[in-house]
Amino acid sequence: MKSPKLSMLLAAAIALTAAGCGNDDSGSQAAETKPSAAGAEAPVTISVGCQPPKSNPLERTAWDEDVAAFKKLHPHITIDSKDAFPCINPDTFQAKLAGGSMEDVFYVYFTDIKKIIAAGQAADITPYVGGIKLLNDIRPDVLATFKEGEKLYGLPRNNYSMGLVYNRKLFTQAGLDPAAPPKTWAEVQAAAKKISALGPGHVGFGEYSAGNTGGWHFAASLYGRGGEMVTPDGKSAAFNSPEGKAVLENLKTMRWTDNSMGAKQLLQWEDLMRMMGGGKLGMMIGAPDVVQAVNNDFKGKFEDYGVTALPEAKASLSGGDGYMINPKATPEKIKAAMLWLEFHELTPGQGQFNYARSKQQGRPVGLPIPDLYGDTAPGKEIVELRKANATVPVENFTPFVEGSAAIQNKLEPPKSQELYAILDVAMSAVLTRQDADIDKLLADAEAKANKVLAKSS
């Protein structure tokens, strides 16, 4: 769940996806060399989903230029681009899959992949990926999202993990060092108190508690503390645990003992974005693209914000998106799709990684996402390209990059939206009632979650 717009509308994936299903760091650059995947020479046309809409002209232009550049490299392949906003409409997505009207190359969120594979709604591309030059450099945890056993059913486009977003300007005003953000929850608590003490309207730490966003961030904090949302078999809730209790106790302390979270609660996605953009919120949980959303849509400035790793994190809630292939696609279409996806999504310096053009277009460059390759050679190349073309202060994200390198990424749980709605109740209770009974809240949530999970097992 990249943002509640993903959870409610499956539309925005934290600002990046909503802008047209593409990163603002993304773009494309005509390749000097032909991608390595082998394709058939007979004419073939493939329909590809998630072309940026006309309402996003910069990314639309980049996409169309990429299609033209790809055509020059592979004259036998025609890309039939399909634009939509959002790229996934929950009212039609499953119907298109079930009815066979989905594009040949269709866009998916990580959270839908396992269901699509289980339903036989995506092609096994294992026999077709041997020619993708950098396939073995893709982060194993990212590629595994598209795997079932030894079979591969798709390729990634974007991925993210959670961290701690903070206002560097407020840190300085509160006597804190913005270059040394909190690494523990105790340090978060101490920093939040200092920021709240700056004066009326200042909130040290903000948290969601409504519209499924509270449950989403409960999961993020729970994973960070080493807890689990569900049992390994996915049939029972596992969040009524010491780690789950610690999440709520920490929030209750900051809200009622420290008074560092402000009196206004029941907050949803836009509320914290607006507070951060207004310069009065010190810290919140979020992925690096939160800074982009704050800059683009809520009047913040890139230079005022930083991102660090989630405090004391043993794991990080992660997500992302990519492409799968219609199971009705012919072998020729699948081969063509592999060439396109390699060109547009997986090659440093071109496709979504053409940061030179993104900079020329005036789009933000420098956010540390996507991180498809980790510390491999192509991963390092992408990092250097970002730095060389950066339009935002890359150093503000260094604590996140360094601190997150060794943190395990974990996907959202099954039936995530239903579980998040249930846990909204617990989150809102501890933030609006000083006498909230945490043990009872978790027990009640567990009982409700088990009923939801039983229906899906």
Side-chain angles (χ1 to χ4, degrees):
M1 178 173 184
K2 191 122 174 55
S3 77
K5 291 184 179 179
L6 282 183
S7 70
M8 303 310 117
L9 306 174
L10 293 177
I14 336 172
L16 295 174
T17 305
C21 301
N23 276 331
D24 275 348
D25 273 359
S26 63
S28 68
Q29 181 178 17
E32 296 298 326
T33 59
K34 183 175 180 177
S36 58
E41 294 302 321
V44 59
T45 297
I46 55 172
S47 56
V48 181
C50 208
Q51 177 191 28
K54 292 180 180 178
S55 59
N56 191 343
L58 296 181
E59 288 192 18
R60 177 84 167 209
T61 297
W63 175 285
D64 291 346
E65 288 179 358
D66 287 341
V67 168
F70 181 77
K71 183 70 172 178
K72 289 182 179 179
L73 292 172
H74 305 283
H76 66 292
I77 301 174
T78 297
I79 302 295
D80 179 15
S81 303
K82 302 295 186 181
D83 70 342
F85 182 79
C87 289
I88 290 179
N89 184 331
D91 295 330
T92 61
F93 183 69
Q94 282 301 324
K96 287 176 69 176
L97 278 174
S101 61
M102 190 63 78
E103 298 89 358
D104 297 318
V105 186
F106 63 94
Y107 173 85
V108 294
Y109 298 130
F110 282 5
T111 47
D112 291 324
I113 290 170
K114 297 302 183 185
K115 292 182 290 186
I116 292 171
I117 294 173
Q121 294 169 326
D124 174 9
I125 64 172
T126 313
Y128 303 95
V129 296
I132 296 179
K133 183 171 61 175
L134 300 180
L135 184 71
N136 292 331
D137 291 306
I138 297 174
R139 286 174 43 169
D141 59 336
V142 174
L143 199 61
T145 307
F146 290 91
K147 285 185 173 182
E148 188 64 36
E150 296 301 314
K151 294 183 177 181
L152 184 64
Y153 290 87
L155 292 169
R157 181 196 71 98
N158 181 38
N159 68 308
Y160 71 92
S161 61
M162 294 291 205
L164 183 72
V165 181
Y166 64 101
N167 187 312
R168 292 171 58 91
K169 189 174 182 179
L170 288 184
F171 264 54
T172 299
Q173 292 175 7
L176 302 164
D177 183 359
K183 294 183 178 181
T184 68
W185 281 108
E187 291 176 357
V188 170
Q189 183 180 353
K193 286 195 282 188
K194 289 185 177 181
I195 291 168
S196 296
L198 289 174
H202 288 84
V203 175
F205 182 82
E207 189 52 282
Y208 302 130
S209 56
N212 293 25
T213 57
W216 170 41
H217 271 202
F218 175 92
S221 294
L222 179 72
Y223 282 178
R225 292 178 181 271
E228 300 285 350
M229 284 289 286
V230 300
T231 55
D233 60 10
K235 295 181 179 179
S236 302
F239 54 75
N240 187 5
S241 63
E243 294 85 5
K245 188 173 182 178
V247 171
L248 297 183
E249 286 180 335
N250 181 61
L251 292 175
K252 190 175 182 181
T253 296
M254 286 198 289
R255 169 68 175 95
W256 299 105
T257 303
D258 299 346
N259 294 314
S260 62
M261 296 187 68
K264 183 180 179 181
Q265 296 300 325
L266 302 179
L267 304 175
Q268 299 189 46
W269 185 78
E270 287 193 6
D271 297 313
L272 288 189
M273 296 295 108
R274 191 174 294 107
M275 290 167 64
M276 188 65 80
K280 292 297 183 71
L281 176 61
M283 294 171 286
M284 62 176 287
I285 291 173
D289 61 356
V290 164
V291 176
Q292 182 168 291
V294 168
N295 178 85
N296 292 356
D297 304 322
F298 296 93
K299 300 181 180 179
K301 296 180 180 179
F302 270 111
E303 58 268 26
D304 289 343
Y305 306 100
V307 186
T308 188
L310 202 65
E312 305 175 59
K314 296 178 177 64
S316 176
L317 180 66
S318 66
D321 54 62
Y323 283 94
M324 302 179 84
I325 310 301
N326 193 312
K328 294 183 178 181
T330 64
E332 291 72 27
K333 285 179 179 285
I334 298 176
K335 291 174 185 177
M338 296 304 99
L339 287 166
W340 167 253
L341 292 177
E342 181 181 33
F343 173 86
H344 196 256
E345 315 300 349
L346 300 176
T347 304
Q350 69 182 35
Q352 70 159 322
F353 295 116
N354 181 354
Y355 297 122
R357 184 176 61 192
S358 295
K359 180 179 181 179
Q360 185 179 24
Q361 287 183 315
R363 293 157 61 195
V365 177
L367 294 174
I369 51 176
D371 179 20
L372 301 182
Y373 292 107
D375 199 38
T376 63
K380 292 176 180 177
E381 182 180 355
I382 288 168
V383 169
E384 290 305 312
L385 288 170
R386 280 190 186 127
K387 289 180 180 178
N389 295 283
T391 62
V392 303
V394 175
E395 63 276 9
N396 289 10
F397 303 98
T398 299
F400 175 82
V401 174
E402 295 178 346
S404 300
I407 296 175
Q408 176 192 4
N409 287 330
K410 296 177 64 173
L411 292 177
E412 293 176 282
K415 311 296 286 187
S416 58
Q417 294 307 315
E418 291 92 331
L419 298 186
Y420 295 163
I422 290 168
L423 285 161
D424 267 0
V425 176
M427 292 286 280
S428 62
V430 297
L431 294 173
T432 59
R433 300 202 323 258
Q434 191 168 2
D435 62 350
D437 185 334
I438 290 174
D439 289 331
K440 186 176 187 305
L441 288 168
L442 287 174
D444 289 347
E446 179 184 27
K448 293 176 182 177
N450 283 339
K451 291 180 180 179
V452 168
L453 294 168
K455 293 178 182 179
S456 63
S457 61

